Amino acid sequence: MNPTILRAQDLVMHYPVKTAGSARHRQVVKAVDGVSLAVKPGEVFGLVGESGCGKSTLGRLLLYIEKPTAGRVFFEDDDLGNFDRRLLKRFRREAQIIYQDPYSALNPRQPVGSIIEEPLVIHAIGTAAERRKRVAELLQVVGLRPDQAARYPHEFSGGQRQRIVIARALALNPRLILADEPVSALDVSIQAQVINLLEELKDRFGLTYIFISHDLSVVEHICDRVAVMYLGRLVELADRHFFYQKPLHPYAKALLSAAPVTDPHAGRNRQILGGDVPSPINPPPGCTFHPRCPRRMPVCSKERPRFQEVEPDRWVACYLYFKPTAWCE
């Protein structure tokens, strides 16, 4: 069995919806609805899907920023659900996050030196002089100058602010970093610089990334494995090369066919999905994708397909690749 640094088992996150009716029939938003996955040390694990599919919520659950409604998260062999506040604080030194919008992630009233130093202060690491030295080192690591520590976030460009967020995430020497769409708010030219920086830092510090994005070209460039999420559930998980060469799930095929290409003369087999994404408050029975699936079968609307391994390290939740449970009895 391959070692894992982070593992999720049947994660569920439901948010109650306030309604005027009886509390007995209170509705919930099924943001994450039974997700299991494992992240290997040193890899870049990509998580893709449409906006609103639950990617960011799943990321918060994996780092235990939010406590799941059901399910378990393991960091190596430790169940985070059994951690008290002291142990969770210790876990924060091992796992950090890079946010999507660098400007809203930084306190506009603090100089960037204080922002980067704050994790060290919270965890009581080093003296004041040692922390200032560490801040200077981190600024150089991410491509900024130490004398810029006295400046405020509004004095930096978007790409520079994201470098500051990355420096803060590195302050505690974590082993795992969740990057939640870290380049989507940046210009394309700046995106390439930040992606290259993340790759350099991964090799330099031996980091493991969980990389959340809806940009499939960026995911193809940086990720080792790709997981596809639809309406709170994983529908496919595969090695990057196999996924981009031959996706299995009909939703993954449609997602890849919608990605823009640089060559205007390249032939394309566009797969346009009909209908709208169902509501996470009242998802359809069985496979949640079946109302839009061009290859749906009668069983798809009756029984939820299991997320299972159909090839070595190739997982999919689709009856096109295995028989329903009722057929196996």
Side-chain angles (χ1 to χ4, degrees), residues 30 34 65 176 218:
K30 298 179 179 180
I65 297 172
L176 173 69
V218 172

Coordinates of all heavy atoms in Angstrom, one line a residue, residues 30 34 65 176 218:
K30 N -25.9 20.1 0.2 CA -25.0 19.0 0.2 C -23.7 19.4 -0.5 O -23.5 19.0 -1.7 CB -25.6 17.7 -0.3 CG -26.8 17.3 0.5 CD -27.5 16.0 -0.1 CE -28.7 15.6 0.7 NZ -29.4 14.4 0.1
G34 N -19.8 12.6 0.5 CA -19.2 11.3 0.5 C -18.0 11.2 -0.4 O -17.9 10.4 -1.3
I65 N -10.2 23.1 8.7 CA -10.6 24.5 8.9 C -12.1 24.5 9.3 O -12.6 25.3 10.1 CB -10.4 25.3 7.7 CG1 -8.9 25.4 7.5 CG2 -10.9 26.7 7.9 CD1 -8.5 26.1 6.2
L176 N 2.6 20.2 3.9 CA 1.5 20.1 3.0 C 0.9 21.5 2.8 O 0.7 22.3 3.8 CB 0.4 19.2 3.6 CG -0.9 19.2 2.9 CD1 -0.8 18.5 1.5 CD2 -2.0 18.4 3.7
V218 N -3.6 24.8 -16.5 CA -2.7 25.0 -15.4 C -2.5 23.6 -14.7 O -1.4 23.2 -14.3 CB -3.2 26.1 -14.4 CG1 -2.4 26.1 -13.2 CG2 -3.1 27.4 -15.1

